[in-house]
Structures are given as C-alpha cells and as structure tokens.
C-alpha cells in the first residue's frame, strides 16, 4: 500500500485496510510516498496488488501523492505493474468534497500502468430513513473506499463504520489478488 497522510487520518485508514488484507493472509507493506526508497519501489513492483491512498485536499489528491504518481512515469516503460491488481482510498473533512475526483485520479494512474482495478464491494449505506452513519460504506463510494472526519478531530474522528468499510476493502483486495495469482498459476 502506497499512500500519503498529513494529519494521520489516511494513515489510520491504511492501517484498517492492512488489517483486512492481513486477516485474508496477505503480507502488507505500508509505504509512505514522502519516504520512498528503491527497496520500496521493488516491493511494489513484485506485489500482487497495490492500493493507493491520499487525503483529498481542495478537490484532489495531495501534491505529494501527485509527485509520486509522476515518479511512476519513468517506471511505466518497464511494465512492472501490468495486470497487477490496484485499488484506492481517500479521506477528507467534507462529506463529498472531491473524494470521487481523488479516487478517479488513482484509477487513471492505475490504467496508465495497465493495472486491474478493484472497487469497493459494499453497497451504499446510510441511504434510507432507518439507516445511520453507523452503516458500512456510509458515504456510498464504490470506486474505492472513502472516509470523512471533521477537521478539528484528527484521526480519532474517523467513524468506526468508515474503518470497518476500509477493513472490508482490504480483505476484498487481498482475496482478489490471491484468486488472480492462483488463476495465473493454473
């Protein structure tokens, strides 16, 4: 998993996604875009799946995540991510606030590398008169996982429902990566 995190919310989401993937038997490496080194680039190239993450700021991913994406261009010619499973997640203070744009940016990055995208499998929650913010996938994103936490609350402001949504996303991506690997071996 390669991601940027400024205030800790996106890191907390990355940890929840990692928990779900690890419960599925995956080995997860949490890689921060701000401190990438050659060994971590090699880990990503050898991975069965890569999950991208960034906070949403002013309607898109952070400048640090965009710089990482631009850095991948030099590696694009090696095709090291071709047919690798990809997915994404984002956090932000507003309920919408550009999160879809951030996920679309990650999708476009994955497509530039001929990756295979896995979206969120949970149906939209919190969309009836009897539902609540405690529902899984309460924000209703299907392209990836999105979470909302108030600016003044820090990482602790993330709702348990958003963390549970992230954990399920990690489980699903790990399961799909395993199935893809087994299919390739068959």
């Amino acid at each position: 998993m390669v991601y940027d995190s400024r205030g800790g919310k996106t890191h907390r989401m990355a940890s929840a996604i990692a928990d779900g993937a690890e419960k599925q038997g995956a080995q997860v490496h949490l890689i921060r875009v701000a401190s990438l080194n050659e060994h971590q680039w090699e880990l990503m190239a050898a991975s069965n799946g890569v999950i991208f993450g960034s906070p949403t700021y002013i309607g898109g991913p952070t400048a640090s995540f965009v710089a990482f994406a631009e850095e991948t261009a030099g590696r694009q010619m090696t095709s090291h991510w071709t047919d690798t499973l990809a997915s994404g997640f984002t956090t932000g203070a507003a309920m919408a606030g550009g999160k879809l744009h951030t996920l679309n940016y990650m999708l476009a990055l994955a497509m530039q590398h001929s990756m295979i995208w896995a979206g969120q499998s949970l149906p939209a929650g919190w969309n009836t008169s009897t539902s609540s913010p405690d529902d899984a996938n309460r924000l209703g994103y299907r392209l990836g996982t999105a979470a909302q936490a108030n600016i003044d609350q820090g990482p602790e402001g993330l709702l348990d429902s958003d963390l549970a949504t992230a954990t399920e996303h990690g489980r699903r991506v790990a399961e799909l990566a395993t199935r893809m690997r087994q299919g390739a071996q068959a």
Side-chain angles (χ1 to χ4, degrees), residues 12-13 16-17 95 120 122-126 131-141 144-149 155-169:
R12 190 163 182 218
M13 288 293 289
I17 291 169
M95 287 294 186
Q120 173 59 255
L122 294 171
W126 198 18
S131 57
S132 77
D134 296 329
D135 291 349
N137 198 15
R138 70 183 177 103
L139 298 179
Y141 286 85
T145 295
Q148 180 273 333
E156 297 75 27
L158 288 167
L159 295 184
D160 289 341
S161 57
D162 288 346
L163 295 169
T165 302
T167 300
E168 173 56 24
H169 192 142

Side-chain angles (χ1 to χ4, degrees), residues 53-142:
S54 174
T56 295
Y57 282 156
I58 313 298
T62 63
S64 298
F65 188 86
V66 171
F68 154 75
E70 290 175 1
E71 182 72 20
T72 70
R75 298 166 187 274
Q76 187 178 25
M77 302 311 278
T78 63
S79 301
H80 68 270
W81 279 341
T82 298
D83 294 336
T84 299
L85 190 63
S87 196
F89 69 100
T90 187
T91 61
M95 287 294 186
K99 290 182 193 72
L100 183 59
H101 177 70
T102 299
L103 291 170
N104 274 314
Y105 184 91
M106 294 170 187
L107 173 64
L109 172 62
M111 295 301 97
Q112 290 294 316
H113 288 280
S114 300
M115 298 173 90
I116 299 168
W117 189 263
Q120 173 59 255
S121 65
L122 294 171
W126 198 18
N127 59 3
T128 68
S129 61
T130 59
S131 57
S132 77
D134 296 329
D135 291 349
N137 198 15
R138 70 183 177 103
L139 298 179
Y141 286 85
R142 297 302 291 264

